[in-house]
């Protein structure tokens, strides 16, 4: 798997790009304070014991995901979320232990249970409260890579240790094996495929329950949470569910996918210099015209090109180059 392979230094030998200078790493040795917040209590079983190979020369033009995806340990620097959710990195990450009293981390082989300590403590608090709304415990999906940054697969955000995916499947009443955590599939909450014209973009009432809604409400009411992303069908169900104070609904935003899991995004923690918050969500509960437009065919059904009779080809996004990230991310990569 790409994230377990040794780091590739694209054309480093030819270019001899001494990007350490370009990324302002000169002061690096002088500024490597040991992480103040707790070191991880448990590590994913699949992680290799050998020390990671650190890049000696960074090519600013190389895809940042190649570097960050190869990092196996956090940067031993003060904890800091750097940059923005989809363009940044993470120093001094903590790991969410793979098992807690009311959570289990899934897909351990991905080594993505790393986050800013503020995210880890939120998740521990949230997991502890979940049983009080009738949810046995959390199955936790991806947080961030050990040093954050763009990922080798999936997500465009999750880069600064402040995003977490939580399955819409409750934790079973036993500890899953590592193999089960790789193989068990999450269950979609949507009624039918959404990319079909005229589809009923609602949750499946055989799967979706008020407990699912209460769990998302519990997360949204936490002051530390900036946004929660869910499928528009789920947003619609939440709009119908709430009969009292609707203020929390403002934080719950409709987005593509997110029918198997919901995505919790924390605000920048105090002390994270260079962490960029997203603009506040629009005023209101978001249950009106914005949601209606998400539930129509428009966003989902591919438009046919009259000339070719086919949908237009999907434009592949170019991967983010290392140079697109904040300069400090060069230090985060090379810190040892
Ligand atoms: Zn997500």
């Amino acid at each position: 798997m790409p994230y377990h392979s040794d780091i590739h230094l694209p054309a480093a030998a030819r270019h001899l790009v001494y990007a350490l200078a370009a990324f302002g790493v000169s002061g690096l040795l002088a500024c490597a304070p040991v992480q103040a917040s707790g070191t991880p209590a448990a590590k994913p079983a699949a992680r290799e014991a050998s020390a990671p190979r650190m890049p000696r020369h960074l090519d600013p033009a190389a895809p940042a995901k190649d570097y960050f995806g190869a990092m196996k340990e956090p940067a031993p620097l003060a904890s800091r979320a750097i940059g923005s959710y989809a363009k940044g990195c993470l120093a001094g990450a903590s790991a969410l232990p793979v098992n807690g009293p009311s959570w289990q981390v899934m897909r351990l082989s991905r080594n993505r249970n790393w986050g800013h300590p503020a995210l880890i403590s939120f998740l521990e608090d949230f997991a502890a409260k979940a049983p009080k709304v009738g949810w046995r415990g959390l199955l936790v999906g991806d947080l961030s890579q050990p040093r954050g940054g763009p990922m080798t697969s999936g997500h465009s955000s999750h880069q600064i240790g402040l995003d977490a995916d939580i399955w819409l499947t409750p934790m079973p009443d036993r500890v899953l094996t590592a193999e089960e955590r790789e193989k068990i599939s999450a269950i979609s909450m949507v009624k039918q495929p959404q990319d079909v014209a005229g589809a009923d973009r609602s949750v499946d009432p055989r799967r979706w329950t008020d407990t699912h809604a209460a769990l998302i409400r519990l997360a949204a009411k936490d002051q530390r949470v900036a946004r929660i992303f869910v499928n528009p069908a789920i947003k619609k169900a939440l709009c119908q569910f709430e009969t009292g104070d609707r203020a929390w609904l403002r934080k719950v935003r409709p987005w593509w996918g997110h029918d198997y899991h919901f995505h919790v995004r924390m605000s920048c923690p105090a002390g994270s210099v260079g962490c960029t918050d997203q603009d506040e969500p629009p005023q209101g509960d978001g249950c009106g015209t914005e949601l209606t437009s998400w539930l129509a065919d428009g966003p989902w059904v591919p438009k046919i090109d009259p000339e070719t009779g086919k949908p237009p080809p999907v434009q592949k996004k170019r991967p983010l180059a290392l140079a697109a990230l904040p300069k400090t991310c060069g230090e985060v990569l090379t810190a040892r």
Side-chain angles (χ1 to χ4, degrees), residues 57-202:
H57 310 301
L58 300 175
D59 179 354
K65 65 179 182 178
D66 291 352
Y67 291 121
F68 283 97
M71 294 290 116
K72 295 183 171 60
E73 298 288 343
L77 301 168
S79 298
R80 189 176 153 200
I82 301 160
S84 51
Y85 300 96
K87 198 180 276 187
C89 61
L90 171 65
S94 296
L96 179 68
V98 300
N99 294 311
S102 53
W103 76 82
Q104 295 182 41
V105 175
M106 302 300 284
R107 308 289 190 260
L108 301 178
S109 67
R110 296 185 184 181
N111 193 25
R112 290 178 180 173
N113 58 322
W114 298 90
H116 187 284
L119 175 64
I120 305 304
S121 60
F122 162 76
L123 288 170
E124 292 179 352
D125 296 346
F126 178 47
K129 287 186 211 149
K132 295 175 191 149
V133 299
W135 191 265
R136 187 187 292 115
L138 310 178
L139 293 180
V140 181
D142 287 353
L143 311 185
S144 288
Q145 298 172 143
R147 299 186 188 205
M151 290 189 180
T152 44
S153 60
H155 327 280
S156 57
S157 65
H158 291 251
Q159 293 192 23
I160 58 175
L162 298 176
D163 292 288
D165 286 341
I166 296 167
W167 287 29
L168 286 164
T169 308
M171 187 183 90
D173 61 356
R174 65 191 177 84
V175 179
L176 296 170
T177 65
E179 196 185 352
E180 286 172 318
R181 295 182 202 216
E182 297 299 320
K183 290 192 172 155
I184 292 175
S185 298
I187 295 162
S188 175
M189 294 294 126
V190 302
K191 203 179 219 172
Q192 49 184 248
Q194 295 175 296
D195 57 354
V196 178
D200 177 357
R201 298 184 182 91
S202 302

Side-chain angles (χ1 to χ4, degrees), residues 258-283:
H258 297 88
D259 50 323
Y260 299 85
H261 69 265
F262 63 106
H263 174 150
V264 180
R265 170 166 294 173
M266 318 288 294
S267 307
C268 286
S272 273
V273 178
C275 177
T276 311
D277 274 308
Q278 206 173 344
D279 290 344
E280 295 225 330
Q283 290 291 339

Side-chain angles (χ1 to χ4, degrees), residues 194 199-202 231-233 235-237 239-240 252-255 285-300:
Q194 295 175 296
D200 177 357
R201 298 184 182 91
S202 302
N231 188 276
K235 173 79 187 193
K236 179 167 75 170
C239 290
Q240 290 163 353
V252 184
R253 311 308 304 174
W255 201 245
D285 61 11
C287 295
T289 48
E290 185 195 354
L291 179 60
T292 311
S293 67
W294 270 103
L295 295 170
D297 286 348
W300 303 95

